[in-house]
């Protein structure tokens, strides 16, 4: 391992799985530190490409950026060089989060320079960090490998946007000091459990007796492993769970007029997470009038639920709550009041109710539309 001196740099080689389909290895096996591998032989034995980032204290964005760029064909198994020496940085194959240059044609991905205002696009306006820049330029390749599809496939593009929204954008915002809410009021509580905070805590503590470059590199390795494992978990969740759920909700929306002529009742033929998909698909598909009730089977109780759709994903209020006269009632009392057999309950807020059968739940929703 190369020692750090004034004006010097640290070199790290990380061994990661070649494909995303393999289980992520434990951090101790995932990453090793050694001298760079050089060869004067044929191109088949050419040295690894070298990716630079700064040494010293690290943040989530460059740890994740270094992890992601090594998942690409171009920088697979590349060597990580941690330095702030401009002469060293100039000779590297890619540079992240240092150097004061954003130029994808030369694989330079810094965001600290004056005048930098790059955003992800596609309706997102948060300024990018080095991780966001790497994701913007290489995210589709990484996702396409996981899905085993071409980069131009519509599902790859859908996940590219969804993962940025649910995972990457927060990392960009935190690193750039962008508040989550448009207010000057202090937060009601402190949240130091998010990924950026957890990565930050992996830096050497000021009380650690060993502040050597070797220990700093070991800490950075752990940061890469932590940020990278959660990124891969997000990719795999979206591929395995999010995308199939979206397809189910889209089909159910398309069939809503078969359920009721109003088009305001949707039935989930197979339960899945549906709320966020519904809001996004209503906007994409320009659904009018908006859906008021979603019916699905509660497999645990073998009953059917009637859930009122909220006015927005982050609000508790419903577009059309179940009727006030039903709320808080149960079983026979509710069935008598509603004039519908098999009723089980209606919540006090009217956001959800239940019936013993699908037919009864559907009558509850149809009746609620008319009251």
């Amino acid at each position: 391992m190369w020692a750090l001196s004034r004006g010097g740099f640290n070199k790290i080689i990380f061994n990661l799985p070649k494909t995303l389909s393999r289980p992520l290895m434990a951090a101790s096996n995932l990453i090793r530190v050694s001298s760079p591998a050089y060869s004067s032989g044929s191109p088949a034995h050419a040295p690894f490409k070298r990716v630079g980032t700064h040494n010293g204290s690290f943040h989530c964005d460059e740890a994740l950026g270094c992890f992601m760029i090594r998942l690409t064909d171009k920088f697979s198994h590349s060597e990580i060089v941690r330095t702030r020496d401009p002469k060293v940085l100039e000779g590297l194959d890619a540079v992240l989060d240092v150097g004061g240059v954003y130029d994808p044609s030369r694989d330079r991905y810094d965001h600290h320079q004056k005048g930098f205002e790059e955003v992800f696009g596609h309706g997102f306006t948060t300024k990018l960090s080095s991780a966001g820049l790497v994701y913007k330029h290489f995210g589709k390749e990484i996702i396409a490998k996981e899905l085993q599809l071409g980069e131009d496939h519509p599902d790859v593009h859908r996940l590219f946007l969804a993962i940025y929204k649910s995972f990457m954008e927060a990392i960009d915002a935190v690193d750039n000091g962008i508040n989550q809410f448009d207010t000057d009021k202090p937060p009601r509580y402190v949240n130091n459990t998010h990924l950026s905070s957890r990565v930050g805590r992996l830096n050497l503590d000021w009380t650690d007796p060993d502040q050597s470059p070797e220990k700093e590199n070991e800490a950075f390795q752990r940061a890469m492993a932590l940020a990278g494992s959660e990124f891969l978990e997000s990719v795999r969740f979206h591929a395995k769970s999010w995308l199939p759920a979206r397809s189910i909700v889209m089909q159910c929306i398309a069939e809503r007029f078969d359920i009721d002529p109003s088009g305001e009742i949707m039935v989930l033929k197979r339960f899945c997470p549906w709320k966020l998909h519904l809001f996004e698909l209503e906007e994409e598909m320009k659904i009018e009038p908006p859906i008021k009730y979603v019916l699905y089977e509660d497999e645990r109780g073998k009953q059917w639920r009637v859930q009122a759709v909220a006015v927005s994903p982050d609000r508790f209020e419903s577009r059309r709550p179940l009727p006030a006269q039903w709320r808080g009632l149960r079983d026979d009392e509710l069935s008598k009041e509603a004039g519908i057999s098999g009723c089980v309950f209606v919540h006090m807020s009217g956001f959800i109710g239940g019936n013993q059968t699908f037919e009864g739940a559907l009558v509850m929703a149809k009746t609620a539309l008319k009251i």
Side-chain angles (χ1 to χ4, degrees):
M1 179 153 36
W2 291 28
L4 176 68
S5 61
R6 185 175 297 276
F9 54 96
N10 307 336
K11 294 197 170 212
I12 309 173
I13 293 179
F14 299 90
N15 287 333
L16 299 180
K18 287 187 177 180
T19 65
L20 295 178
S21 59
R22 298 177 184 175
L24 199 65
M25 301 161 61
S28 60
N29 297 323
L30 180 67
I31 305 169
R32 68 178 175 86
V33 181
S34 67
S35 299
Y38 290 104
S39 171
S40 57
S42 67
H45 301 286
F48 294 118
K49 286 185 179 291
R50 298 186 298 163
V51 174
T53 190
H54 61 81
N55 55 358
S57 296
F58 51 78
H59 300 97
C60 186
D61 71 314
E62 73 265 23
L64 178 57
C66 287
F67 184 95
M68 288 192 298
I69 203 168
R70 299 185 73 258
L71 295 175
T72 67
D73 290 338
K74 185 175 183 179
F75 294 103
S76 176
H77 299 291
S78 58
E79 175 190 346
I80 304 299
V81 180
R82 302 186 70 229
T83 181
R84 293 184 183 274
D85 188 329
K87 293 181 180 179
V88 175
L89 293 173
E90 182 62 30
L92 302 180
D93 298 289
V95 177
L96 281 61
D97 208 47
V98 69
V101 176
Y102 168 52
D103 182 357
S105 68
R106 296 193 295 126
D107 289 306
R108 265 44 184 176
Y109 303 106
D110 196 12
H111 67 112
H112 296 99
Q113 59 273 23
K114 183 178 180 180
F116 178 88
E117 296 293 339
E118 188 75 9
V119 299
F120 185 66
H122 308 284
F124 296 95
T125 59
T126 299
K127 188 166 74 169
L128 298 179
S129 67
S130 60
L133 288 171
V134 171
Y135 185 79
K136 179 172 182 173
H137 292 282
F138 297 101
K140 283 189 176 181
E141 177 188 344
I142 295 169
I143 293 167
K145 286 181 179 180
E146 176 67 16
L147 296 183
Q148 298 182 342
L149 296 171
E151 290 185 36
D152 58 349
H153 194 282
D155 286 348
V156 172
H157 183 71
R158 290 188 186 104
L159 263 64
F160 183 57
L161 300 183
I163 293 168
Y164 184 78
K165 180 178 181 179
S166 67
F167 186 87
M168 294 298 307
E169 187 176 21
I171 294 169
D172 288 337
V174 169
D175 195 77
N176 284 301
I178 301 171
N179 289 328
Q180 188 173 8
F181 302 102
D182 293 325
T183 177
D184 294 329
K185 295 181 179 179
R188 294 188 177 183
Y189 56 89
V190 174
N191 179 13
N192 287 325
T193 62
H194 55 76
L195 179 58
S196 294
S197 290
R198 286 182 282 121
V199 167
R201 285 197 295 274
L202 294 176
N203 279 285
L204 296 182
D205 190 87
W206 68 276
T207 62
D208 291 338
D210 188 349
Q211 298 282 325
S212 65
E214 290 81 5
K215 286 296 183 181
E216 184 183 291
N217 286 345
E218 290 174 6
F220 188 71
Q221 294 164 25
R222 291 192 293 271
M224 280 184 63
L226 173 60
S229 65
E230 296 205 11
F231 169 74
L232 291 179
E233 286 174 4
S234 179
V235 173
R236 290 164 181 161
F237 161 77
H238 281 84
K240 179 182 177 181
S241 177
W242 183 91
L243 193 60
R246 185 183 190 276
S247 297
I248 291 172
V249 175
M250 179 181 287
Q251 181 180 358
C252 293
I253 290 175
E255 296 172 351
R256 69 193 186 283
F257 286 105
D258 297 335
I259 304 301
D260 187 74
S262 69
E264 297 178 73
I265 301 173
M266 185 183 86
V267 176
L268 278 179
K269 295 183 177 179
R270 178 183 178 186
F271 182 79
C272 65
W274 56 269
K275 296 177 186 178
L276 287 177
H277 291 298
L278 178 61
F279 288 108
E280 291 177 358
L281 288 169
E282 280 186 329
E283 183 175 351
E284 289 178 23
M285 300 168 69
K286 297 180 171 34
I287 299 299
E288 286 293 341
I291 294 168
K292 305 302 189 302
Y293 300 112
V294 175
L295 276 60
Y296 56 88
E297 187 176 14
D298 180 356
E299 294 183 353
R300 293 170 298 181
K302 299 300 180 182
Q303 299 172 349
W304 278 81
R305 297 286 183 257
V306 184
Q307 186 158 342
V309 179
V311 295
S312 65
D314 55 352
R315 298 280 296 277
F316 291 108
E317 300 90 340
S318 301
R319 290 173 174 173
R320 192 180 183 95
L322 292 170
Q325 57 267 39
W326 298 357
R327 299 175 201 172
L329 302 182
R330 298 188 62 87
D331 303 322
D332 291 342
E333 186 180 7
L334 175 58
S335 294
K336 181 178 179 180
E337 175 64 36
I340 302 168
S341 62
C343 291
V344 178
F345 77 99
V346 170
H347 191 272
M348 283 294 297
S349 68
F351 90 97
I352 194 170
N355 196 284
Q356 294 175 2
T357 67
F358 164 71
E359 292 77 13
L362 182 57
V363 174
M364 289 178 71
K366 289 185 175 186
T367 303
L369 285 177
K370 299 174 182 177
I371 295 180

